[in-house]
């Protein structure tokens, strides 16, 4: 059980390392001031029905209660150590897992941790304004839960930086609080984390698509030969599952509501659907295309010597590395990647070691497709002839082999002019954004009430009813 009377709750025996404890206690007020500035707008007096980790055991690690968010106890939790754990892939395969940073990998490892850490506060910044236009108290509570946990994920990465990287680590921890999502001078590191999240449709898409990228990155790092990183990521993954649930169920509820209204009123043209105050399926498809494509870029170049290095060094594994049955060195294995040659999309085989980004992206796409299929079922059950589809992998990409090509959602290579002529059939237009924004002008805060554009969830949080007071505004 975690002791919450400590200044920084933890299960890493922080009290035994005074220097580290002091360094983190010094970072804590800077973190809180970041939260006051960049955390959810106007939320500082709210009491929110939140879950807090009380132990890292799989059963019952969370406890629910009302908490004022600035008083949320952001702590440091690692999965317990397995003394027998080894490095499971790469050239060090079979050696005992590292409990300290191997000198030769120090700077790569720091980079990996900083890049992961940077995404956590970024998403809180992106979602800062959404509490003002929530569709219900249930949803407001959920976004706040996601936000405090992203804050905790930042703590998790900052702990590693402070504990294992000395002065450089402390400087990186400060920079993590200094960058800002979307800032021109000091932006967040990765593209998708500088895109605005202007409305709740974008928020649910983000938690479905982009938090799931987070899951896949964490899964790859949970295989790391650097044991403290692996143990940290394992615990973060238990929290991530809820974020993706919020996204998937959020979109599913929006689709459900749209379909209900379409059926009741026997309409299907987008303008008629909009006139009834719900979001047309075409707009949902365009948001999907946008979030999917910018998230695919997060996996990096299709062929990457960095990815090969991370793997060979034993720092970042594949999705479910230890469950895969091969040599875990990838000495001879090949893997297909796409490229655009002479106006055509070709597939070629490259050494699997260099294609690890592409492989992780493919694992991700498989899971995304399954989620989109579940959304499709909602439409099918309503008897509406509309198909939600994932666009081609090359659509709207800015990183990797498709960069600079104009590829339609169905995978045709177009000229820039042709592409531009269809851009707003495929991606949300300024008009789409302003329509969605117009639906979300104020907060729906009555107990048990939901905005017109979204269906209620199947059940409440932690067995509570839908009309439970999930947030007290005071
Ligand atoms: Fe996270
Ligand atoms: Fe997340």
């Amino acid at each position: 059980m975690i002791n919450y009377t400590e200044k920084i709750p933890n299960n890493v025996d922080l009290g035994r390392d005074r220097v580290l404890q002091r360094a983190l206690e010094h970072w804590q007020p800077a973190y809180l001031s970041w939260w006051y500035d960049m955390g959810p707008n106007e939320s500082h007096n709210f009491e929110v029905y939140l879950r807090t980790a009380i132990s890292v055991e799989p059963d019952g690690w969370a406890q629910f209660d009302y908490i004022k968010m600035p008083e949320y106890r952001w702590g440091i939790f690692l999965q317990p150590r397995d003394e027998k754990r080894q490095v499971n892939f790469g050239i060090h395969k079979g050696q005992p897992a590292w409990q300290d940073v191997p000198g030769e990998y120090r700077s790569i490892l720091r980079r990996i941790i900083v890049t992961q850490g940077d995404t956590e506060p970024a998403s809180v910044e992106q979602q800062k304004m959404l509490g003002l236009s929530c569709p219900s108290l249930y949803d407001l509570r959920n976004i706040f839960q996601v936000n405090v946990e992203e804050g905790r994920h930042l703590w998790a990465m900052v702990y590693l930086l402070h504990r294992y990287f000395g002065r450089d680590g402390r400087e990186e921890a400060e920079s993590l609080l200094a960058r800002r999502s979307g800032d021109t001078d000091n932006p967040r590191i990765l593209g998708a984390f500088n895109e605005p999240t202007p409305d709740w449709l974008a928020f649910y898409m983000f938690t479905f698509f982009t938090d799931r990228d987070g899951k896949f990155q964490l899964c790859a790092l949970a295989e790391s030969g650097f044991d403290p990183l692996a143990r940290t990521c394992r615990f973060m993954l238990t929290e991530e599952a809820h974020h993706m649930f919020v996204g998937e169920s959020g979109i599913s509820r929006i689709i459900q509501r749209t379909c209900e209204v379409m059926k009741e009123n026997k309409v299907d043209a987008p303008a008629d659907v909009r006139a009834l105050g719900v979001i047309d399926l075409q707009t949902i498809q365009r948001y999907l295309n946008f979030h999917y494509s910018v998230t695919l870029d997060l996996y990096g170049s299709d062929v990457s010597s960095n990815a090969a290095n991370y793997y060979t060094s034993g720092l970042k594994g594949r999705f479910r590395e230890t469950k895969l049955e091969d040599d875990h060195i990838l000495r001879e294995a090949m893997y297909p990647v796409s490229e655009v040659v002479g106006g055509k999309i070709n597939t070629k085989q490259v050494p699997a070691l260099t294609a690890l980004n592409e492989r992780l992206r493919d694992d991700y796409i498989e899971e995304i497709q399954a989620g989109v299929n579940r959304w499709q079922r909602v439409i099918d059950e309503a008897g509406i002839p509309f198909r939600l589809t994932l666009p081609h992998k090359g659509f709207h990409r800015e990183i990797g082999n498709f960069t600079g090509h104009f590829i339609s959602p169905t995978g045709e290579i177009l000229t820039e002019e042709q592409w531009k002529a269809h851009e707003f059939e495929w991606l949300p237009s300024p008009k789409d954004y302003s329509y969605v924004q117009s639906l979300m002008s104020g907060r729906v805060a009555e107990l048990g009430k939901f905005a017109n554009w979204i269906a209620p969830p199947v059940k409440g949080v932690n067995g509570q009813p839908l009309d439970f007071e999930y947030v007290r505004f005071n």
Side-chain angles (χ1 to χ4, degrees), residues 245-258:
F245 160 79
V246 168
E248 179 168 339
S249 59
I251 298 294
S252 182
R253 290 161 53 210
I254 292 176
I255 293 174
Q256 187 192 330
R257 180 66 189 141
T258 298

Side-chain angles (χ1 to χ4, degrees), residues 111-123 125-126 176 179-183 186-196 206 210 213-214 217-218 221 294-301 306 310 316 357 361 398-399:
R111 194 74 209 145
I112 291 175
I113 293 168
V114 167
T115 307
Q116 177 60 42
D118 192 67
T119 65
E120 315 289 356
S123 62
E125 293 166 2
Q126 288 167 295
L176 284 168
R179 284 185 285 271
R180 289 285 180 275
S181 175
D183 191 284
N186 196 13
R188 292 293 170 185
I189 296 169
L190 300 170
F193 292 91
N194 288 304
E195 297 286 347
F206 185 95
T210 311
D213 159 70
Q217 300 298 340
L218 291 175
L221 295 176
V294 299
T295 305
L296 287 186
D297 276 343
L298 289 173
Y299 291 85
S301 298
N306 274 345
Y310 296 171
K316 184 178 178 187
N357 287 342
R361 183 162 29 235
E398 288 183 7
I399 289 177

Side-chain angles (χ1 to χ4, degrees), residues 92-105:
H92 303 289
K93 188 173 160 250
Q95 295 176 11
W98 305 304
Q99 300 307 320
D100 260 307
V101 178
E104 71 265 45
Y105 301 141

